[in-house]
Amino acid sequence: MSDKKLIQSRDNIVEAAGRTTQGFGLGRIIGQLYALLFFSPEPMSLDDMAGELKVSKGSVSTNIRELEKWGAVRRVWIKGDRKDYYEAEVEFFRVIKSGILPFISRKLDSSLAAVSESRELINAGDQLKSGDKSLADFYSRRLDLIEKAQKKLSALFKLPLW
Amino acid sequence: MSDKKLIQSRDNIVEAAGRTTQGFGLGRIIGQLYALLFFSPEPMSLDDMAGELKVSKGSVSTNIRELEKWGAVRRVWIKGDRKDYYEAEVEFFRVIKSGILPFISRKLDSSLAAVSESRELINAGDQLKSGDKSLADFYSRRLDLIEKAQKKLSALFKLPLW
DNA sequence: CAATACATTCAGTCCATATTGAACGAATAA
DNA sequence: TTATTCGTTCAATATGGACTGAATGTATTG
């Protein structure tokens, strides 16, 4: 096997990772970056990564900090070198637990603010015509369903599964 | 409370649902549609929905069938009427279990095809220069990590959590 | 039969946002 | 000090894919 074949097999996964993150609405580069570091025996600098992926340094900077937030990569210091180097956190489940799940959780929380708002809007009104009242009751029961699901979901997210 | 206030509180949630699905890379209308039906006391036709959301009938048709695939809405027949009517499946967890999780699972599976491919590429080569060999070994160990995570993940997806 | 009333399709348009790259600031080196 | 060498920012651009709406197909009605 030539070195070229090895690089090719790595690039194959890099590309797939990019497609995957793109498919989940996270952009292509973030997945490619993680895969690149995951298959790098040595830490890489921003310029290294930009060069390998043929993308701008600005993109690498932005995306690598996103990955850092998730705990998917970490910065490593190399003595006598001013550049920032990064390596991948290779324990997937640590990334999922400490990075991805909280990320999803936060997104959901922010959308649930609307539910509380609507609940207040509905509860606030007391003087109702009879037709409106039955519709308000219906809405109220629907909101109950959402809150029930919310509780189940957040309990699930807190479960120590791994 | 006026009827207007009720509609407003519904639209508030419809909008939030649209933002949420958009945030997850699923498009705005699919979330708005589900929320609209979720808060409708009666089944709605395609024209009803297009009218309420001010979007094209084509969009409604496409998105409602996506929701149908997920089991998030179901078609209901109203006698003596040629239109298709839809109502929401209001049990969130049923939707998550039978619609959303399999959807995610399929996405992940398709990206894991690349892993097998790379595994084969690496295992196929036997005559290696020594430098290449150690890199090949490194890649091989990384692939092991991915497959380990894959197994944990698919086990998790099959867990009867609710 | 023709006319109507519906849902679906898909080429074209449009929009959200991912990505770029020049400008900037900070830190180090000379 | 000035000149480099980094990383970051953000206005501008590029791109993927969501959305539109006219055309199409199909079933029903008259």
Side-chain angles (χ1 to χ4, degrees):
Chain A
M1 181 170 14
S2 68
D3 199 52
K4 211 179 270 181
K5 274 269 166 59
L6 279 177
I7 298 301
Q8 178 187 331
S9 82
R10 181 200 66 178
D11 287 347
N12 190 38
I13 291 189
V14 168
E15 199 193 318
R19 272 201 311 272
T20 304
T21 49
Q22 181 129 277
F24 283 110
L26 300 171
R28 172 179 50 94
I29 294 180
I30 198 164
Q32 291 187 331
L33 268 182
Y34 180 70
L36 183 63
L37 289 177
F38 191 90
F39 281 92
S40 171
E42 305 295 338
M44 299 182 80
S45 70
L46 294 191
D47 285 318
D48 292 340
M49 295 185 264
E52 286 284 338
L53 298 181
K54 313 281 189 213
V55 296
S56 77
K57 201 175 175 178
S59 280
V60 174
S61 175
T62 305
N63 283 289
I64 205 77
R65 272 181 295 125
E66 191 66 22
L67 283 170
E68 219 180 350
K69 270 193 222 159
W70 297 2
V73 304
R74 67 177 78 85
R75 199 181 301 208
V76 293
W77 299 98
I78 293 187
K79 60 181 177 185
D81 199 322
R82 282 166 54 196
K83 294 182 185 176
D84 292 346
Y85 286 87
Y86 291 88
E87 65 181 13
E89 162 62 68
V90 295
E91 290 294 334
F92 266 3
F93 273 68
R94 202 173 295 167
V95 177
I96 293 175
K97 187 180 181 179
S98 71
I100 298 177
L101 285 186
F103 170 78
I104 294 174
S105 199
R106 255 176 288 127
K107 278 209 173 189
L108 291 179
D109 282 352
S110 81
S111 12
L112 284 166
V115 176
S116 314
E117 279 177 40
S118 290
R119 170 75 80 187
E120 281 168 26
L121 273 172
I122 287 168
N123 285 345
D126 273 337
Q127 57 286 46
L128 295 165
K129 285 172 284 181
S130 65
D132 289 349
K133 177 133 176 35
S134 83
L135 183 58
D137 284 346
F138 173 79
Y139 279 15
S140 192
R141 285 197 301 277
R142 285 291 190 257
L143 288 171
D144 288 342
L145 283 175
I146 296 179
E147 278 170 11
K148 206 181 79 184
Q150 173 187 7
K151 274 174 193 156
K152 270 175 111 171
L153 208 56
S154 70
L156 202 59
F157 270 47
K158 281 168 194 156
L159 229 58
L161 290 172
W162 39 68
Chain B
M1 182 172 10
S2 68
D3 200 50
K4 211 178 269 181
K5 274 270 166 59
L6 279 176
I7 298 301
Q8 177 188 330
S9 81
R10 181 200 67 178
D11 287 348
N12 190 39
I13 292 188
V14 167
E15 198 193 320
R19 272 200 312 271
T20 304
T21 49
Q22 181 130 274
F24 283 109
L26 300 170
R28 171 178 49 95
I29 294 179
I30 198 165
Q32 291 187 331
L33 268 183
Y34 179 69
L36 183 64
L37 288 177
F38 191 89
F39 281 93
S40 170
E42 304 295 337
M44 298 181 81
S45 70
L46 294 191
D47 286 317
D48 292 339
M49 295 185 264
E52 286 285 337
L53 298 181
K54 313 282 188 212
V55 296
S56 77
K57 200 175 175 180
S59 280
V60 174
S61 175
T62 304
N63 283 288
I64 205 79
R65 271 181 297 125
E66 191 66 23
L67 283 170
E68 218 180 351
K69 270 194 222 159
W70 297 3
V73 305
R74 67 177 76 86
R75 199 182 302 209
V76 294
W77 270 280
I78 293 187
K79 60 182 177 184
D81 199 322
R82 284 164 55 192
K83 294 181 186 178
D84 292 346
Y85 287 86
Y86 291 88
E87 66 182 10
E89 163 62 64
V90 296
E91 290 294 333
F92 265 3
F93 273 69
R94 201 173 295 168
V95 176
I96 292 175
K97 187 180 181 179
S98 71
I100 297 176
L101 285 186
F103 171 77
I104 294 174
S105 199
R106 255 177 286 126
K107 279 208 170 188
L108 291 179
D109 282 350
S110 80
S111 13
L112 284 165
V115 176
S116 315
E117 277 178 39
S118 291
R119 169 76 81 188
E120 282 167 26
L121 272 172
I122 287 168
N123 285 346
D126 274 337
Q127 57 287 48
L128 294 165
K129 286 172 282 180
S130 65
D132 288 351
K133 176 133 177 34
S134 82
L135 184 57
D137 285 347
F138 173 80
Y139 279 15
S140 193
R141 286 197 302 277
R142 285 292 190 259
L143 289 170
D144 288 343
L145 282 175
I146 296 179
E147 277 171 9
K148 207 181 79 185
Q150 173 188 6
K151 274 173 192 155
K152 271 174 110 172
L153 207 56
S154 71
L156 201 59
F157 270 47
K158 282 167 192 155
L159 229 58
L161 291 171
W162 40 69

